[in-house]
Amino acid sequence: MRIDILTLFCDMCNSVLSESIIGRARQSGKVEINTHDIRDFTLDKHRRVDDKPYGGGMGMVMQAEPIYACFNSLYNEIGTRPHLIYMTPQGKTLTQERVKELARLDNIAILCGHYEGIDERVIEELQPEEISVGDYVLTGGELPALIVADSVSRMLPGVLSDDECFEEESHYNSLLEYPQYTHPAEWNGREVPSVLLSGHHANVEKWRREQSLMRTLERRPDMLKTADLTENDKKFLDSLKSL
């Protein structure tokens, strides 16, 4: 998969994407992630890409032409139109299900807005998918773009050591993840649940499943509507609700 980020802050994005699991995946060729400086496509001698909003108001608005030229340059480089995502608090909230869908694409381009946003006309022209990472506002689209790039990349074959690394995580199957423990077995008077020390794999799996169901019911009961529940899962949840 190839991911391209259209941004005013390439160094910011590259510094994050060069670290840890995603950094190693890039080095080994399991995912290609590139950044493109929108300023390189402005005709302004001072490399300005923004101007005051028509109608007045606070802040500055990113101009349409540099964004449009940057995207077209990428389009021509790849030879096919990448799926374009615009990070905006007005978009649909990113979900794990959408992440899995995006991971099946060959090319994704992520547009980072800044200041007060971007000229509406380039949105109308390019028709990007608009995605939000939550109901709050940041200073720019770079952090949200990094979230998308990271969450999608780790779904790709070979990026994580084993598919189970993400298949049992929170949200992957519409359930929150079970509690995790490591050494030592006792810390500050708190002990690891004995079932995890038993070596009985079936009992461990049963405990983990029940803990996931319990946590989801307590913290995110809305997720249970889309979870793939077995009859045993439903009986266990019913027993919890009756307490």
Side-chain angles (χ1 to χ4, degrees):
M1 163 176 268
R2 172 171 173 159
I3 300 174
D4 293 272
I5 301 176
L6 285 56
T7 175
L8 299 178
F9 301 98
C10 292
D11 289 344
M12 173 183 176
C13 296
N14 285 324
S15 64
V16 173
L17 295 169
S18 296
E19 299 290 337
S20 189
I21 292 172
I22 306 304
R24 293 194 293 273
R26 293 177 73 188
Q27 290 179 349
S28 62
K30 293 181 175 64
V31 61
E32 178 182 354
I33 306 179
N34 308 294
T35 59
H36 306 265
D37 192 342
I38 297 172
R39 293 187 191 278
D40 290 342
F41 298 89
T42 179
L43 299 178
D44 183 87
K45 65 180 181 179
H46 301 295
R47 303 189 79 220
R48 284 185 54 184
V49 295
D50 63 313
D51 212 330
K52 296 178 181 178
Y54 280 118
M58 299 293 292
M60 306 289 277
V61 176
M62 289 180 66
Q63 296 169 310
E65 185 56 32
I67 295 171
Y68 185 68
C70 184
F71 180 75
N72 276 339
S73 174
L74 173 61
Y75 189 167
N76 292 332
E77 177 186 334
I78 298 176
T80 186
R81 191 185 197 278
H83 179 72
L84 179 62
I85 297 169
Y86 172 44
M87 306 308 306
T88 168
Q90 298 184 34
K92 290 184 178 180
T93 303
L94 183 66
T95 64
Q96 187 63 40
E97 190 60 36
R98 186 57 184 145
V99 168
K100 288 189 281 186
E101 293 168 352
L102 292 172
R104 292 194 284 268
L105 302 178
D106 293 326
N107 302 100
I108 295 174
I110 308 173
L111 172 59
C112 304
H114 209 66
Y115 313 118
E116 294 302 311
I118 67 178
D119 192 309
E120 186 69 20
R121 292 169 293 184
V122 76
I123 298 175
E124 295 170 352
E125 182 72 24
L126 295 178
Q127 293 290 304
E129 176 183 4
E130 299 187 24
I131 290 180
S132 168
V133 293
D135 295 336
Y136 47 87
V137 180
L138 299 171
T139 55
E142 282 71 26
L143 291 176
L146 293 171
I147 289 172
V148 172
D150 185 290
S151 62
V152 169
S153 295
R154 65 198 308 278
M155 293 291 100
L156 302 178
V159 172
L160 299 183
S161 58
D162 193 298
D163 286 352
E164 290 185 4
C165 291
F166 58 76
E167 287 178 353
E168 295 187 2
E169 291 177 331
S170 294
H171 300 282
Y172 185 84
N173 291 312
S174 294
L175 292 175
L176 298 182
E177 189 177 10
Y178 48 79
Q180 296 277 15
Y181 300 87
T182 188
H183 296 276
E186 186 275 332
W187 175 82
N188 273 12
R190 300 176 184 272
E191 296 182 352
V192 172
S194 58
V195 64
L196 299 179
L197 307 176
S198 68
H200 195 297
H201 296 299
N203 287 347
V204 169
E205 290 305 311
K206 181 176 182 292
W207 180 88
R208 285 176 168 173
R209 183 69 176 183
E210 290 178 350
Q211 289 293 314
S212 288
L213 292 166
M214 189 183 306
R215 283 200 163 185
T216 306
L217 179 63
E218 292 174 349
R219 304 179 185 187
R220 289 292 305 276
D222 57 295
M223 293 173 60
L224 293 171
K225 297 176 182 178
T226 57
D228 185 12
L229 302 177
T230 66
E231 288 302 316
N232 285 337
D233 291 338
K234 294 174 183 177
K235 290 178 182 178
F236 179 73
L237 288 169
D238 287 340
S239 70
L240 294 176
K241 294 173 184 177
S242 64
L243 294 178

